[in-house]
């Protein structure tokens, strides 16, 4: 029988002679390295680690390399085990610390431990490792995802202390961290101070602006970026999102064309890019194009379906939204998530489909085990309240396992106002809003004033106005945007600053004459909160921002092209009635996106069927 000799050990010491039941265990350093260069499962890795502990002294020159390999493999499979590997090694270097910090930063539920590890690294008694330009991005990523602003600022101080303030990779991570934590101004300062910006720097900043609601800034920065860098697919995702937020259809169409002409096929077919396009077209009022993009997608994930369902919902197409949901779960076998049901419940809400909404809420919790969040309860409460079932809405609020927020109480107050509920109940809802928000909200005063006005309690309306003045609360001004030939025009209520104001007001007066000719009587519930003379109220209503924008659209839009208006507040009752008539007077389709949803006006009819 042939005999074999054991490979020489890396140091003199005891060896194990009992190898029964062990697989792939070798005490050869070369073979250990070879094993660690291959994909390794945890059981095998633990055997390799055990053999390394027996045969390789931690002071050996190759020990650091071996343990770094073991740490890297274990960090991908078992973070607890990897942590023990790190802490049992006497003098881990920066690479080892970075490996584990990165693993925790990328984990789903343990991101906070990345900052704990970083703190341990920085407070070691024996300074065997210093943070480098790889350490800081990993830690800042964890701080961003856990919204740890204080800890992130401390890391920023260490960046300055260790001289990495000019490192492009580190600066990009700082921009992302501050933007994620809501400090967009600080992110902007870092960006503008950078000596050298790469494409990632621009992408991070543009994306941060888009996600932070600074849509115009995002688009302006995109224009600046094009002077020095070619945009890639990631840039275009952010630009498309900014177009969606701003309602800039022309630029959104250009961005879509850019993706088709300038990006490779992988990017053209990318599910995320196409989902952004679906979302953009929905939010710009082009539901048909959104459907075309959606149907032409080579592959769709749950986010793609969610965007289409939410798009149908915001346009009041409840049946289409529910059909899309059924196709998603029954035909495509895609499991819906929390956002899916926000879309489904919103669709039911916009059409007053109370029974259907209850059924889908139950399916969400019982069939798909999706835990209801505040958004789901908010949809259901609003669904009951707007349908006039205020008692059921209040019962739901009292039984919710989650504390209702100000949005839920505001929807109840709005329902009380529309359903002419008792003044006492409305006042209680307003009180709950104030207590929930912890701050002053002008919208609550406006709703409460409408309640008092409906009850002809004009003294209370006046007192409420004085209270607002005393507390320094100003009613949020109505603002409407309209895009003509790629240029966005902004109008405020009573605006006279536009270059075409003279002609705009001629159209406004022309509309008023047409309304008078058919005996139209204005609905003054959308007028100011004080008891003015009727002429004053009517004059205020006719100068609401969306009417000025529509008048501008009538003057400048090409025949057959819909007029698209985007308003920051909900459309009032009177404007809603008037816009229906304008669409008939001028034979024009008018699409209005307000704070809550889309309204498509055509031939004197609105797509919401007067339920909004």
């Amino acid at each position: 029988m042939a005999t074999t000799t054991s490979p020489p050990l890396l140091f003199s010491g005891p060896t194990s002679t009992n190898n029964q039941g062990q697989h792939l265990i070798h005490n050869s350093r070369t073979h250990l390295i070879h094993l660690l260069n291959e994909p390794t499962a945890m059981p095998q890795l633990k055997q390799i680690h055990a053999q390394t502990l027996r045969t390789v002294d931690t002071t050996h020159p190759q020990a650091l390399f071996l343990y770094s390999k073991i740490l890297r493999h274990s960090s991908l499979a078992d973070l607890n085990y990897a942590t023990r590997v790190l802490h049992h090694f006497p003098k881990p270097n920066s690479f080892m610390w970075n490996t584990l910090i990165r693993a925790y930063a990328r984990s789903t539920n343990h991101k906070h431990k990345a900052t704990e590890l970083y703190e341990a690294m920085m407070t070691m008694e024996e300074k065997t490792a210093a943070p480098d330009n790889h350490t800081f991005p990993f830690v800042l990523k964890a701080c961003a995802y856990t919204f740890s602003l204080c800890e992130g600022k401390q890391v920023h101080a260490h960046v300055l202390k260790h001289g990495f303030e000019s490192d492009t990779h580190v600066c990009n991570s700082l921009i992302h961290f501050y933007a994620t934590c809501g400090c967009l101004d600080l992110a902007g300062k870092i960006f503008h101070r950078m000596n050298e910006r790469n494409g990632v720097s621009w992408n991070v900043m543009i994306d941060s602006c888009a996600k932070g609601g600074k849509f115009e800034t995002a688009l302006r920065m995109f224009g600046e970026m094009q002077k020095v860098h070619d945009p890639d697919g990631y840039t275009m995702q952010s630009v498309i999102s900014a177009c969606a937020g701003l309602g800039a259809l022309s630029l959104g169409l250009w961005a879509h064309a850019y993706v088709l002409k300038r990006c490779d096929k992988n990017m053209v077919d990318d599910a995320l890019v196409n989902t952004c396009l679906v979302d953009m077209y929905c939010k710009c009022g082009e539901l048909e194009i959104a459907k075309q993009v959606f149907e032409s997608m080579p592959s769709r994930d749950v986010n793609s379906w969610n965007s289409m369902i939410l798009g149908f919902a915001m346009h009041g197409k409840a049946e289409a939204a529910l059909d899309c949901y059924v196709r998603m779960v029954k035909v495509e076998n895609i499991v819906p998530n929390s956002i899916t049901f926000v879309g489904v419940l919103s669709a039911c809400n916009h059409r007053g489909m109370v029974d259907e909404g209850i059924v889908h809420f139950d399916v969400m919790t019982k069939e798909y085990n999706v835990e209801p969040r505040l958004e789901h309860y908010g949809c259901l409460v609003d669904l009951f309240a707007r349908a006039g079932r205020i008692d059921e809405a209040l019962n739901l609020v009292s039984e919710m396992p989650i504390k209702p927020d100000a949005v839920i109480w505001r929807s109840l107050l709005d329902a009380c106002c529309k359903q002419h509920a008792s003044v006492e109940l409305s006042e209680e809802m307003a009180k709950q809003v104030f207590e929930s928000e912890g701050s002053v909200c002008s919208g609550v005063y406006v709703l409460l004033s409408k309640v008092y006005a409906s009850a002809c309690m004009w003294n209370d309306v006046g007192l409420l106005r004085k209270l607002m003045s005393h507390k320094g609360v100003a009613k949020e001004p109505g603002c409407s945007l309209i895009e003509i030939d790629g240029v966005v025009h902004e109008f405020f209520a009573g605006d006279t600053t536009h270059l075409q104001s003279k002609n705009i007001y001629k159209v406004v007066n022309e509309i008023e004459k047409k309304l008078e000719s058919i005996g139209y009587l204005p609905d003054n519930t959308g007028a100011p909160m004080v008891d003015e003379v009727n002429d004053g109220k009517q004059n205020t209503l006719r100068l609401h921002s969306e009417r000025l924008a529509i008048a501008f659209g009538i003057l400048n839009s090409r025949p057959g092209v819909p007029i698209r208006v985007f308003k920051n507040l909900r459309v009032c009752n009177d404007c809603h009635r008037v816009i229906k008539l304008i669409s008939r007077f001028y034979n024009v389709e008018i699409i209005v996106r307000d704070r809550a949803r889309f309204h498509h006006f055509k031939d004197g009819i609105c797509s919401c069927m007067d339920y909004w």
Side-chain angles (χ1 to χ4, degrees):
M1 178 181 293
T3 59
T4 58
T5 58
S6 299
L9 300 180
L10 296 177
F11 72 103
S12 299
T15 62
S16 173
T17 59
N18 182 15
N19 290 326
Q20 293 182 359
Q22 300 292 319
H23 299 286
L24 301 175
I25 298 298
H26 300 273
N27 55 7
S28 164
R29 171 173 57 86
T30 303
H31 195 59
L32 288 174
I33 293 173
H34 172 73
L35 290 173
L36 288 169
N37 283 333
E38 301 294 328
T40 310
M42 276 307 298
Q44 184 185 9
L45 184 67
K46 288 179 179 179
Q47 292 176 348
I48 295 171
H49 185 200
Q51 186 71 4
T52 305
L53 287 169
R54 288 196 298 270
T55 60
V56 183
D57 186 76
T58 54
T59 60
H60 190 277
Q62 292 295 324
L64 193 61
F65 179 76
L66 274 167
Y67 278 93
S68 295
K69 284 275 190 179
I70 292 168
L71 179 65
R72 187 180 70 83
H73 280 291
S74 59
S75 70
L76 299 174
D78 188 335
L79 281 172
N80 289 329
Y81 190 88
T83 304
R84 292 197 297 272
V85 171
L86 178 78
H87 290 315
H88 281 91
F89 192 78
K91 296 180 180 179
N93 64 2
S94 297
F95 178 83
M96 295 181 74
W97 284 101
N98 290 348
T99 298
L100 196 55
I101 289 171
R102 175 177 59 183
Y104 274 114
R106 290 178 173 177
S107 68
T108 303
N109 300 317
H110 304 288
K111 294 183 187 295
H112 63 282
K113 290 191 176 181
T115 54
E116 293 174 8
L117 270 174
Y118 173 75
E119 184 179 355
M121 175 186 181
M122 297 299 292
T123 55
M124 287 188 302
E125 290 185 8
E126 189 176 355
K127 297 293 183 183
T128 59
D132 56 26
N133 62 336
H134 296 290
T135 315
F136 293 119
F138 299 148
V139 180
L140 288 166
K141 179 180 181 179
C143 291
Y145 282 104
T146 56
F147 302 103
S148 303
L149 182 59
C150 182
E151 291 84 348
K153 285 185 174 181
Q154 292 175 11
V155 176
H156 189 181
H158 293 164
V159 168
L160 299 175
K161 180 181 177 181
H162 289 272
F164 288 101
E165 66 272 18
S166 298
D167 186 277
T168 302
H169 191 38
V170 173
C171 287
N172 292 343
S173 298
L174 282 167
I175 293 169
H176 175 258
F177 158 69
Y178 279 120
T180 303
C181 291
C183 303
L184 201 54
D185 290 344
L186 291 175
K189 286 180 180 178
I190 293 168
F191 176 81
H192 290 297
R193 288 174 183 170
M194 290 176 69
N195 295 325
E196 184 178 345
R197 307 184 190 103
N198 57 17
V200 175
S201 311
W202 286 96
N203 283 350
V204 170
M205 198 64 225
I206 292 170
D207 186 59
S208 298
C209 290
K211 288 180 177 176
K214 304 291 185 182
F215 306 121
E216 291 178 335
T217 304
L219 296 179
R220 188 183 69 248
M221 292 195 72
F222 171 64
E224 294 174 6
M225 175 189 181
Q226 288 181 288
K227 299 173 184 177
V228 290
H229 286 284
D230 288 331
D232 57 18
Y234 299 103
T235 319
M236 299 316 297
Q237 291 173 27
S238 303
V239 169
I240 291 165
S241 296
C243 293
L246 200 58
L249 179 60
S250 296
L251 187 54
L253 288 164
W254 176 88
H256 189 182
Y258 185 95
V259 170
L260 294 173
K261 293 178 181 179
R262 300 286 296 275
C263 297
D264 60 33
K265 190 176 187 304
N266 289 334
M267 191 59 65
V268 171
D269 293 340
D270 183 73
L272 182 56
V273 171
N274 282 283
T275 298
C276 287
L277 286 167
V278 170
D279 181 64
M280 182 271 291
Y281 282 122
C282 286
K283 289 179 177 176
C284 288
E286 278 291 353
L287 191 59
E288 287 303 315
I289 300 181
K291 287 163 59 179
Q292 291 172 19
V293 173
F294 178 78
E295 295 297 343
S296 65
M297 290 175 65
S299 63
R300 308 180 192 93
D301 58 16
V302 66
N303 296 319
S304 311
W305 288 94
N306 288 349
S307 291
M308 198 67 251
I309 292 169
L310 286 164
F312 282 128
M314 75 173 72
H315 283 268
K317 305 288 186 181
E319 292 81 3
L322 297 180
D323 288 345
C324 191
Y325 162 73
V326 170
R327 180 181 160 198
M328 168 188 173
V329 298
K330 300 295 184 184
V331 179
E332 302 294 336
N333 295 318
I334 293 178
V335 178
N337 61 17
S338 179
I339 297 172
T340 311
F341 286 103
V342 170
V344 169
L345 293 172
S346 295
C348 295
N349 189 12
H350 286 312
R351 287 299 296 271
M353 300 163 65
V354 180
D355 294 336
E356 291 86 346
I358 295 171
V359 168
H360 286 296
F361 189 88
D362 288 340
V363 167
M364 175 184 77
T365 56
K366 296 174 182 176
E367 186 174 335
Y368 291 104
N369 297 316
V370 174
E371 184 177 351
R373 294 156 69 174
L374 207 52
E375 296 91 337
H376 303 112
Y377 283 113
C379 286
L380 204 55
V381 168
D382 198 40
L383 179 58
F384 280 127
R386 292 173 61 206
R389 296 160 66 167
I390 295 177
D391 289 339
E392 291 174 80
L394 290 170
N395 288 338
L396 178 60
V397 169
S398 66
E399 295 171 0
M400 282 166 47
I402 309 172
K403 183 180 179 181
D405 64 354
V407 174
I408 288 178
W409 291 117
R410 271 203 303 268
S411 71
L412 285 167
L413 176 58
D414 185 52
C416 288
C417 180
K418 288 182 177 178
Q419 301 295 332
H420 305 293
S422 68
V423 173
E424 293 77 13
L425 180 60
S426 300
E427 288 177 331
E428 177 60 28
M429 296 301 102
K431 177 184 175 184
Q432 293 291 346
V433 176
F434 288 131
E435 291 179 355
S436 298
E437 285 197 326
S439 61
V440 179
C441 174
S442 64
V444 179
Y445 286 99
V446 173
L447 287 172
L448 195 54
S449 73
K450 291 180 180 179
V451 172
Y452 290 146
S454 297
C456 296
M457 298 169 64
W458 300 113
N459 288 336
D460 293 277
V461 173
L463 289 171
L464 201 61
R465 184 60 177 262
K466 288 180 181 178
L467 182 63
M468 286 181 68
S469 178
H470 177 71
K471 291 189 174 184
V473 181
K475 181 179 179 293
E476 185 179 359
C479 173
S480 294
L481 304 177
I482 181 171
E483 184 186 27
I484 301 290
D485 296 330
V487 179
V488 176
H489 301 262
E490 184 178 59
F491 293 90
F492 289 90
D495 202 337
T496 58
T497 59
H498 197 277
L499 293 175
Q500 295 188 38
S501 278
K502 186 176 180 180
N503 290 329
I504 290 169
Y505 277 89
K506 284 182 179 179
V507 175
V508 170
N509 292 331
E510 182 180 278
I511 292 170
E512 286 300 308
K513 289 178 181 178
K514 290 179 181 289
L515 292 172
E516 290 173 5
S517 69
I518 62 170
Y520 177 82
L521 295 175
D523 180 350
N524 290 325
T525 57
M529 298 185 299
V530 291
D531 184 21
E532 299 174 349
V533 294
N534 288 336
D535 286 346
K537 286 185 178 181
Q538 185 172 350
N539 191 55
T540 303
L541 289 169
R542 66 196 288 269
L543 302 183
H544 277 187
S545 62
E546 62 267 47
R547 297 205 200 179
L548 298 179
I550 290 169
F552 176 77
I554 291 171
L555 281 171
N556 295 279
S557 293
R558 292 188 296 275
V561 176
I563 295 173
R564 291 181 176 83
V565 174
F566 301 88
K567 186 176 181 180
N568 63 330
L569 305 175
R570 276 195 174 188
V571 175
C572 73
N573 291 340
D574 189 68
C575 284
H576 190 268
R577 292 169 61 200
V578 168
I579 297 170
K580 285 195 294 183
L581 293 170
I582 292 173
S583 72
R584 193 177 74 196
F585 292 156
Y586 293 91
N587 191 28
V588 62
E589 182 180 359
I590 302 171
I591 301 170
V592 177
R593 186 181 91 184
D594 67 7
R595 179 176 281 179
R597 56 167 295 160
F598 272 92
H599 299 265
H600 292 254
F601 300 92
K602 190 173 183 180
D603 300 325
I605 299 172
C606 180
S607 59
C608 74
M609 307 301 291
D610 297 336
Y611 188 91
W612 89 101

